[in-house]
Amino acid sequence: MPGTVLLLAASPLGRGRLVDAAGVLPVLAAVAPAVLSGTDTANVVELADPLEPQAVLTRLRAAAAAPGPLTVYLTGQLHLDRRQRRPHLALARTTPATVRYTALPWAWIREELRLRSAADTALLVDLHADAETWRQLAGQPLDSGRTTAVYGRIAPPARGRGPAEPSYMKAVATLLRSGHRPPLAELHEHALARAAEQGAAGDLVLAGPGGFAHRPAPVRAVPRPYQPDAPPSGPPAAQGDPHAAISDAVRAGRHAEADALAARQEEAAVRAFGAASAQALHWAEVRADLAMFAGDAARSCRAWLAVAGVRLAAGQPPDAPAVEAAVDRAHHQWGTITDAARARELGPALAELRLRVPGRRRGALENVQRHLRQLQAG
């Protein structure tokens, strides 16, 4: 099955640029798509210094929904938004004062990849952090989700003048230009060693499922990622990893089977941990996405509305990333419902939620109200 590769390099224009992110793209683009992906053939999408977070989200969402293995090569810099102090990937227009509106929340990356299996999803990153973000990462590792294999590094603020070099990602690209992609753990270690030769030191290393960060010992002592948590590929994956089994069912068009598998997981999580637990909410969100994949926008919208309601009732704030994401997805799915009666039925609940959760996009509530008036008039 063809693979998908997303090459994303982003950093602010002007004085806020910490790393010459886009400078690595010509080196990566010189690598054969099949080598970038580790598959026989692959589709490659390249984003160089994008301007709008929603545009990046659209490309990321399409890549995550594509069948076959997905590899994301991500180079850029991290900043915290001033309101929630959540990590964001800076884009071309990002400034310290506009992070919340002009940068890509890291939580969006984690959310888009969460339905995929770690067996066929890899994220290679070369990130640079400003001083504030670096201090926070020391106590709060970057959360990339448990279903994505993450390899790379986060570099501390550069001491010299001018943007830093993405030496880790350039090392990855140089190694791949040989025409061979070794196992990612091996590729990662060789790239770390080459980056160290160029003066990189004190980085946070991301290695293995979830990409948990830690301060490394000397490069030769960097441990290989712990493998037992990574689900196997092939038929055993469907038996041992429910995400892999669900993904296989979706790709084969067996949407009812996929939802039934997820429903069993959700019911078990509710019994064991409660309806507002992270485990139960995860499976409720999976089912909302499965409804979308099945083409049932109304069911997906209703599921996302329910997830948002449970999160709010559990005390999560209206501007929490998971709450905003649930309402945004409910809004998006509502806008694609073709049955006017079902759209009218769900519209008031969405409008009520939008009053509490306005989200990051200006005019979202007005959009719901306007569309609802059109539906009622028709």
Side-chain angles (χ1 to χ4, degrees):
M1 185 174 292
T4 300
V5 175
L6 177 61
L7 306 178
L8 172 56
S11 54
L13 302 174
R15 297 175 59 186
R17 175 167 289 195
L18 301 179
V19 58
D20 179 21
V24 76
L25 285 179
V27 191
L28 283 170
V31 179
V35 178
L36 287 171
S37 176
T39 57
D40 291 338
T41 60
N43 300 311
V44 179
V45 178
E46 181 177 316
L47 295 177
D49 284 330
L51 300 177
E52 300 293 340
Q54 289 292 336
V56 178
L57 177 62
T58 298
R59 295 296 185 89
L60 177 63
R61 183 168 293 168
L70 169 66
T71 308
V72 179
Y73 295 84
L74 175 59
T75 308
Q77 61 191 67
L78 295 175
H79 297 272
L80 303 178
D81 71 281
R82 292 179 174 177
R83 185 172 181 180
Q84 292 183 300
R85 300 185 60 78
R86 307 275 187 179
H88 289 62
L89 179 72
L91 303 183
R93 293 176 178 171
T94 300
T95 67
T98 65
V99 169
R100 179 172 169 81
Y101 300 103
T102 62
L104 183 76
W106 187 261
W108 288 9
I109 299 174
R110 183 191 66 231
E111 287 293 307
E112 292 305 319
L113 300 180
R114 65 184 164 74
L115 188 58
R116 297 184 58 92
S117 166
D120 63 2
T121 310
L123 179 60
L124 283 82
V125 302
D126 190 340
L127 298 168
H128 291 244
D130 66 3
E132 184 181 26
T133 309
W134 182 254
R135 287 192 295 270
Q136 178 166 305
L137 289 173
Q140 300 180 35
L142 197 64
D143 180 9
S144 302
R146 61 179 180 230
T147 60
T148 302
V150 186
Y151 297 92
R153 61 91 180 249
I154 306 175
R159 296 179 181 177
R161 294 184 178 180
E165 285 289 315
S167 55
Y168 172 86
M169 193 62 74
K170 283 191 174 181
V172 167
T174 301
L175 290 164
L176 292 177
R177 288 186 68 178
S178 68
H180 168 64
R181 186 174 115 162
L184 289 181
E186 181 181 337
L187 175 66
H188 168 69
E189 290 190 23
H190 286 308
L192 279 180
R194 289 202 177 194
E197 291 172 0
Q198 298 177 30
D203 297 345
L204 292 174
V205 173
L206 308 169
F212 295 109
H214 60 88
R215 293 188 183 276
V219 170
R220 290 185 180 179
V222 173
R224 290 187 177 273
Y226 180 60
Q227 292 299 329
D229 285 342
S233 58
Q239 299 172 12
D241 177 17
H243 294 90
I246 290 167
S247 296
D248 289 345
V250 170
R251 289 168 187 159
R254 303 192 305 272
H255 297 289
E257 176 186 332
D259 184 65
L261 288 168
R264 287 199 292 271
Q265 296 293 327
E266 182 183 10
E267 290 166 3
V270 170
R271 288 196 302 270
F273 306 105
S277 65
Q279 296 89 337
L281 284 168
H282 168 76
W283 288 109
E285 292 176 345
V286 168
R287 295 188 69 193
D289 276 338
L290 290 175
M292 175 191 68
F293 292 143
D296 192 339
R299 180 160 59 92
S300 181
C301 174
R302 186 177 288 108
W304 282 116
L305 290 173
V307 167
V310 171
R311 290 190 178 279
L312 289 168
Q316 295 185 23
D319 59 356
V323 175
E324 287 186 340
V327 179
D328 286 347
R329 293 183 178 193
H331 190 160
H332 173 75
Q333 289 299 298
W334 182 67
T336 64
I337 297 173
T338 56
D339 186 326
R342 300 184 77 183
R344 281 194 296 269
E345 174 192 348
L346 293 168
L350 177 60
E352 182 180 348
L353 260 183
R354 271 298 184 208
L355 283 170
R356 300 179 64 186
V357 187
R360 295 167 181 252
R361 301 189 69 176
R362 294 179 177 88
L365 173 60
E366 290 77 5
N367 174 272
V368 175
Q369 293 172 332
R370 181 170 58 253
H371 186 39
L372 188 56
R373 285 195 297 269
Q374 294 170 349
L375 288 167
Q376 290 169 342

